[in-house]
């Protein structure tokens, strides 16, 4: 074989870095922007008109499935009040399906009574952070769907747990605590066939938000971490502070000061070899006042060949930029993890909010590239 050629085998390859470029002159890699196609699922039912978020997309055969959390008006933000001694707001964990990625149905599941009726798409009420759902190809049928749950900072029952389901609708929480930490917000787990292990992406602090990573062979047994680095909290289970787990997506000297890497939204790209795609929300702080830190959040593209270290190839241009200030997409944007392929197009979804990080009013919007 010619020494200047690389044998890539029969697999499709993607140019996400310089792996296939020995030398170049006047050539640069550019991120192909998605085509934004407008709202796909609005918060229009009574139980979801206050807030929609924390969602996962799964393509299961010919059906696209979406799990999401929603709240009635006035309920979002109650967790903050609970930390101040108030009452925790109750949200709803819901389910929707689509055949074409554009028109979404909310099936009447008959599982939860809402205002005297079970004709709704509510799977359960939610008082804890719920992570992304994923399909586990190694699991028996009754555990085919799995979901990472963050059960708060209570030392007796808190930390990270896994829930299992045969159909994505009826869930049973596994009793073992996986990590004695409270990473908060949208964490995720997936199965990585390249290394034949499960991989979790979690929020950590070092000292601002980053995304850390843990890989395990047995998902239902306690996960490893650097116990020497752990810093216990007096009031319960701590966040993942600094060095308990290695970081996968991080801010660095190329970012603006006071930049957080928020929700990771990592997906394996199954249509090419060794491609991992993350669409983290990058949080730019601009105000520290009585309400704490606030700021704008945009989505950037991050890529990896091994799922362990991600690079953001074009930070000067957001993958999904914010809209005009005061508009429906002018404050913050979060991706729903998961990719779906329909014909020659790849669909994925995001949630925009008119307001910055604090007060949120949102709807589902669809984009694909």
């Amino acid at each position: 074989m010619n020494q200047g050629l690389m044998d890539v085998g029969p697999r499709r390859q993607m140019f996400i870095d310089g792996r296939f470029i020995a030398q170049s002159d006047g050539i640069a890699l550019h991120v192909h922007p998605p085509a934004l196609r407008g709202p796909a699922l609005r918060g229009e039912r009574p139980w979801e008109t206050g807030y929609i978020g924390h969602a996962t997309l799964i393509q299961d055969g010919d059906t696209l499935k979406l799990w999401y959390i929603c709240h009635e008006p006035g309920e979002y933000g109650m967790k903050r009040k609970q930390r101040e001694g108030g009452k925790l707001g109750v949200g709803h964990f819901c389910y929707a399906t689509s055949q074409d990625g554009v028109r979404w149905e909310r099936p009447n599941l008959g599982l939860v009574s809402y205002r005297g009726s079970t004709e709704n798409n509510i799977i359960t009420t939610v008082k804890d952070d719920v992570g992304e759902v994923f399909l586990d190809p190694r699991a028996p049928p009754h555990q085919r769907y799995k979901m990472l749950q963050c059960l708060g900072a209570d030392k007796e029952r808190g930390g990270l747990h896994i829930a299992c389901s045969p159909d994505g609708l009826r869930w049973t929480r596994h009793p073992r605590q996986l990590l004695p930490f409270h990473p908060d917000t949208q964490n995720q787990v997936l199965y990585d066939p390249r290394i034949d292990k499960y991989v979790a992406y979690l929020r950590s602090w070092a000292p601002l938000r980053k995304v850390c990573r843990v890989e395990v062979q047995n998902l239902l047994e306690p996960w490893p971490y650097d116990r020497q680095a752990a810093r216990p909290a007096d009031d319960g289970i701590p966040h993942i502070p600094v060095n308990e787990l290695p970081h996968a997506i991080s801010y660095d000297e190329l970012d603006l000061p006071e930049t957080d890497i928020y929700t990771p939204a990592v997906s394996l790209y199954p249509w090419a070899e060794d491609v991992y795609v993350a669409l983290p929300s990058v949080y730019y702080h601009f105000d520290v006042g009585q309400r704490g830190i606030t700021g704008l959040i945009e989505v950037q593209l991050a890529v990896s060949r091994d799922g362990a270290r991600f690079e953001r190839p074009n930070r000067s241009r957001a993958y999904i930029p914010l809209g005009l200030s005061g508009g429906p997409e002018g404050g913050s944007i979060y991706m729903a993890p998961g990719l779906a392929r329909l014909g020659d197009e790849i669909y994925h979804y995001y949630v925009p909010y008119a307001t910055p990080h604090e007060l949120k009013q949102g709807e589902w919007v669809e984009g694909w590239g």
Side-chain angles (χ1 to χ4, degrees):
M1 186 176 67
N2 188 314
Q3 197 168 14
L5 299 179
M6 178 185 298
D7 183 6
V8 299
R11 292 294 308 276
R12 184 186 296 268
Q13 305 295 328
M14 180 177 288
F15 284 83
I16 61 172
D17 54 18
R19 172 184 280 194
F20 305 114
I21 304 174
Q23 62 183 43
S24 64
D25 183 13
I27 296 175
L29 295 176
H30 292 275
V31 176
H32 182 71
L36 308 182
R37 301 294 178 88
L41 186 69
R42 298 178 182 271
E44 58 190 22
R45 302 298 171 88
W47 54 89
E48 61 186 23
T49 53
Y51 164 78
I52 286 182
H54 284 216
T56 311
L57 171 71
I58 288 179
Q59 185 172 15
D60 191 2
D62 295 331
T63 302
L64 274 61
K65 301 180 178 181
L66 192 69
W67 290 261
Y68 62 97
I69 292 179
C70 58
H71 293 257
E72 296 180 42
E75 285 188 342
Y76 183 75
M78 292 296 285
K79 288 187 178 182
R80 186 172 297 108
K81 292 183 180 180
Q82 185 200 38
R83 290 196 294 267
E84 297 168 358
K87 179 183 176 183
L88 176 65
V90 176
H92 309 284
F93 185 46
C94 298
Y95 176 72
T97 63
S98 176
Q99 300 301 313
D100 61 5
V102 179
R103 293 174 289 272
W104 288 85
E105 303 290 335
R106 297 171 175 84
N108 289 326
L109 302 178
L111 298 175
V112 174
S113 178
Y114 178 83
R115 297 182 183 177
S117 173
T118 59
E119 293 187 1
N120 57 64
N121 67 326
I122 302 174
I123 295 174
T124 184
T125 55
V126 176
K127 291 188 177 181
D128 299 294
D129 287 319
V130 176
E132 287 84 349
V133 178
F134 80 100
L135 279 173
D136 186 351
R138 293 174 49 180
H142 69 283
Q143 295 181 340
R144 182 170 181 251
Y145 291 86
K146 287 189 172 68
M147 173 173 57
L148 187 62
Q149 293 184 313
C150 186
L151 302 186
D154 182 86
K155 288 185 177 181
E156 299 298 324
R157 60 175 295 274
L160 287 174
H161 292 252
I162 283 285
C164 305
S165 171
D167 55 9
L169 304 177
R170 297 160 182 84
W171 293 89
T172 301
R173 182 180 302 148
H174 193 270
R176 298 295 298 273
Q177 183 192 73
L178 303 178
L179 276 179
F181 297 114
H182 179 242
D184 196 9
T185 67
Q186 205 165 2
N187 304 285
Q188 67 179 114
V189 178
L190 50 83
Y191 170 72
D192 188 343
R194 189 184 64 84
I195 58 175
D196 190 28
K197 291 183 179 181
Y198 298 97
V199 177
Y201 296 93
L202 313 170
R203 173 192 287 185
S204 65
W205 300 76
L208 302 176
R209 295 173 179 90
K210 295 185 178 182
V211 177
C212 64
R213 178 182 181 274
V214 58
E215 59 181 56
V216 295
Q217 192 69 49
N218 188 339
L219 188 62
L220 301 180
E221 292 296 323
W223 298 351
Y225 66 96
D226 185 354
R227 297 174 183 272
Q228 299 301 317
R231 298 185 303 176
D234 294 335
D235 57 347
I237 291 179
H239 293 274
I240 299 177
V242 181
N243 296 314
E244 285 84 349
L245 295 166
H247 293 111
I249 313 175
S250 174
Y251 57 82
D252 57 31
E253 66 279 359
L254 299 179
D255 288 301
L256 295 173
E258 300 298 314
T259 295
D260 279 316
I261 306 299
Y262 224 68
T263 53
V266 176
S267 297
L268 278 74
Y269 188 87
W271 306 288
E273 186 176 26
D274 294 344
V275 176
Y276 299 77
V277 176
L279 294 163
S281 293
V282 180
Y283 177 19
Y284 303 108
H285 306 170
F286 62 74
D287 179 44
V288 180
Q290 292 183 347
R291 299 184 59 196
I293 299 175
T294 62
L296 300 174
I297 297 177
E298 68 178 16
V299 171
Q300 293 184 5
L301 173 69
V303 294
S304 176
R305 291 292 184 182
D306 59 7
R309 293 296 300 176
F310 286 80
E311 301 294 333
R312 286 175 283 148
N314 190 355
R315 305 186 195 187
S316 63
R317 180 177 180 179
Y319 183 74
I320 301 182
L322 290 169
L324 295 176
S325 178
E329 303 186 12
S332 48
I333 292 177
Y334 299 85
M335 291 300 300
L339 305 172
R341 184 169 182 173
L342 298 174
D344 294 331
E345 295 183 313
I346 295 172
Y347 290 60
H348 48 174
Y349 300 80
Y350 68 96
V351 188
Y353 298 104
T355 54
H357 178 256
E358 292 294 326
L359 301 177
K360 297 180 177 67
Q361 297 283 339
E363 64 184 20
W364 283 102
V365 172
E366 160 191 13
W368 61 84

